[in-house]
Amino acid sequence: MMRVLSVASEIAPLVKTGGLADVTGALPAALAGVGVQMRSLVPGYPAVMAALQEPEAVHAFEDLFGGPGVLLQGRGAGLDLLVIDAPHLYGRPGNPYLGPDGRDWPDNPERFAALSWVGAHVAAQGADGWHPQVLHGHDWQAGLMTEYLPRMGGAGVRTVLTIHNIAFTGSTDPGRLHSLRLDPARFYSEGYEFWGAISALKAGLMGADALTTVSPSYAEELMTPEFGMGLDGVMRHRQADLTGILNGIDEDAWNPATDPAIAAFDAPSGKAAAKAALQAELGLPQAAGPLCVIVSRMTHQKGLDLVLETLPALLGAGGQLAVLGSGDPGLEQAFRQAAGDPNVAVRIGYDEGLSHRLIAGGDAILVPSRFEPCGLTQMYGLRYGTIPVVALTGGLADTVINASPAGLARGVATGIQFAPVTAVALRGALMRLARLFSDREVWTRMQVNAMAHPVGWAPSARAYADLYARLTQTP
């Protein structure tokens, strides 16, 4: 059985701020079905430490970037875990990246250098007799693993870096070279230097044997100045080593037929009860048009300012809007103000149960992202027959079949795509949505298609297993 060490800064259901955690939490079980044994290395945040069952110490670090640390192995939430118990780095409440003031912890470069350092150590030296053949890191937090691995004697271990969002480069001042234990000779364009700064992501992009990202379209977009965030030249340089592997979702956690958060249903006809229950919960009246839902971080990337700009058109067409999310204070306040309309409901924060009820009860889910490496909420929507309205970008382009005249004529449409990512184009998409919603035969056909669309991990797990096999030359 192939042995792979996954190195990530978060993992569902133990600690989650976004889709990265969903992926790292779902991959081990999906890969087990195709002959891959994956263990996951994660920081020992309070939530992780609390969930770790029967922890066993397998290595001690006298000085782990400012204090002692212990590598523990155990299980938690059904996952085989390696956990870094280092309270000086991870023993902090709340968000894994942000302090109480909402700003990045000032020692984040050292906190996640430690994650990469321990990942490289396990890859090179093993953990309690377990030796991985592949070291698979995720995003910038694991990027420095490729700098540390050769120094630890791990030259025979193959490396993969997955880009979940290239917008976060893990950049810091070169004055940290010593504190990050980096070789100064590698501070150049072929190493980890990025516009005069140290970039953990650049280190991984240049050093990993293989690169993956979370959808085929995003892999292509990364090589353009518009989406490459200053790293498009690096991505073009590594194009031959880059593979787009589409994310999947946990089909057990997101299953309308068994979801404990809702009145379960297995066909579009069951959505009426879910919609009525959601409207009652949120204090929304009955309406003639579609109930649109959003479950999202409130950031510029997600295009929610465009929703605010086009909201009058949606409401004018008899539609409604229900929003769950948090993030940018300006967007939070703007949505609170929008909730003054009786057909708009807004909940600031995050509530897992409510997210399921929104996606189950909504007629459509809006994902107008300016860029979206993969996106999961549109796949949750498909699973529940909640029609996605998405920007034509990244994984949104790869997972939704547009209700174009051809798509409708062939009876295969599962959602609505729009481009460019502007308020004018989104307004047009919302008007198309209202028209399709009023044609019950067409709308039901789209819902049936959406619920039947494959969104699970099986194809992606096979693609990762094939990649690992090629790297290690294992049949």
Side-chain angles (χ1 to χ4, degrees):
M1 180 172 277
M2 177 75 66
R3 299 178 306 279
V4 179
L5 176 65
S6 171
V7 180
S9 59
E10 53 185 271
I11 187 167
L14 302 180
V15 57
K16 172 182 172 179
T17 68
L20 166 63
D22 290 311
V23 173
T24 57
L27 260 183
L31 288 168
V34 290
V36 177
Q37 181 190 52
M38 175 173 277
R39 294 188 180 181
S40 302
L41 174 69
V42 292
Y45 310 118
V48 174
M49 297 298 294
L52 191 62
Q53 301 165 7
E54 300 182 1
E56 177 187 356
V58 295
H59 190 80
F61 298 88
E62 291 185 6
D63 180 10
L64 189 62
F65 293 81
V70 177
L71 179 63
L72 305 173
Q73 69 176 1
R75 286 182 62 80
L79 299 160
D80 288 321
L81 299 175
L82 291 167
V83 175
I84 307 170
D85 182 11
H88 67 286
L89 296 173
Y90 310 123
R92 308 172 190 184
N95 187 289
Y97 314 116
L98 307 178
D101 60 358
R103 299 177 182 272
D104 288 348
W105 291 109
D107 61 343
N108 273 352
E110 287 77 19
R111 296 174 74 222
F112 297 110
L115 176 65
S116 291
W117 182 272
V118 176
H121 171 87
V122 173
Q125 306 299 324
D128 196 30
W130 184 81
H131 294 266
Q133 297 159 274
V134 177
L135 177 60
H136 186 166
H138 297 269
D139 270 348
W140 75 264
Q141 293 90 348
L144 292 179
M145 66 184 190
T146 59
E147 293 295 316
Y148 301 143
L149 184 62
R151 293 158 53 183
M152 295 185 178
V157 178
R158 311 300 285 174
T159 54
V160 178
L161 183 75
T162 294
I163 308 156
H164 295 264
N165 192 335
I166 205 169
F168 301 100
T169 61
S171 295
T172 192
D173 187 271
R176 276 187 145 115
L177 280 170
H178 177 71
S179 69
L180 297 180
R181 304 178 184 178
L182 293 170
D183 179 359
R186 298 274 302 151
F187 186 66
Y188 72 123
S189 60
E190 298 299 311
Y192 54 78
E193 183 272 335
F194 179 59
W195 299 104
I198 297 167
S199 169
L201 181 62
K202 171 83 177 293
L205 294 178
M206 293 301 297
D209 295 312
L211 305 176
T212 74
T213 192
V214 290
S215 71
S217 288
Y218 192 56
E220 296 177 3
E221 291 173 348
L222 288 177
M223 289 179 279
T224 68
E226 181 181 0
F227 293 98
M229 302 294 176
L231 287 162
D232 51 291
V234 174
M235 301 313 301
R236 291 191 295 272
H237 174 67
R238 296 300 312 272
Q239 182 175 5
D241 305 307
L242 174 65
T243 306
I245 301 176
L246 191 66
N247 283 343
I249 65 171
D250 185 331
E251 293 181 288
D252 292 327
W254 293 92
N255 183 348
T258 59
D259 192 334
I262 64 169
F265 60 88
D266 58 7
S269 58
K271 285 182 64 66
K275 179 177 180 178
L278 179 63
Q279 288 172 319
E281 177 180 357
L282 299 178
L284 292 171
Q286 299 295 306
L291 170 55
C292 297
V293 299
I294 294 172
V295 180
S296 177
R297 288 182 291 113
M298 292 185 175
T299 66
H300 179 76
Q301 173 200 339
K302 298 299 183 179
L304 299 190
D305 55 305
L306 304 179
V307 174
L308 290 165
E309 193 170 342
T310 57
L311 183 56
L314 173 64
L315 299 179
Q320 297 178 310
L321 179 68
V323 180
L324 173 65
S326 63
D328 179 83
L331 285 171
E332 288 184 1
Q333 181 58 28
F335 274 104
R336 285 192 183 97
Q337 292 176 347
D341 189 288
N343 283 296
V344 178
V346 174
R347 299 291 184 270
I348 301 299
Y350 188 74
D351 180 322
E352 184 72 19
L354 178 56
S355 72
H356 283 243
R357 295 191 294 277
L358 283 164
I359 291 171
D363 296 304
I365 184 164
L366 307 185
V367 194
S369 302
R370 290 182 165 88
F371 65 95
E372 193 63 70
C374 178
L376 298 177
T377 54
Q378 83 280 6
M379 289 193 269
Y380 300 151
L382 290 169
R383 186 89 161 117
Y384 285 66
T386 304
I387 301 304
V389 179
V390 303
L392 187 64
T393 185
L396 304 178
D398 293 336
T399 52
V400 175
I401 301 173
N402 187 32
S404 64
L408 292 170
R410 293 178 58 197
V412 296
T414 63
I416 296 170
Q417 297 173 333
F418 68 93
V421 189
T422 64
V424 171
L426 176 57
R427 185 179 295 109
L430 293 174
M431 295 304 96
R432 289 167 59 200
L433 172 69
R435 290 193 296 272
L436 290 167
F437 182 76
S438 67
D439 187 330
R440 301 316 299 174
E441 182 178 352
V442 170
W443 186 259
T444 301
R445 176 74 261 170
M446 289 179 65
Q447 289 180 309
V448 170
N449 293 343
M451 294 181 74
H453 190 83
V455 292
W457 271 105
S460 302
R462 288 193 294 271
Y464 279 114
D466 289 345
L467 174 63
Y468 300 149
R470 290 196 303 271
L471 287 174
T472 58
Q473 299 182 337
T474 301

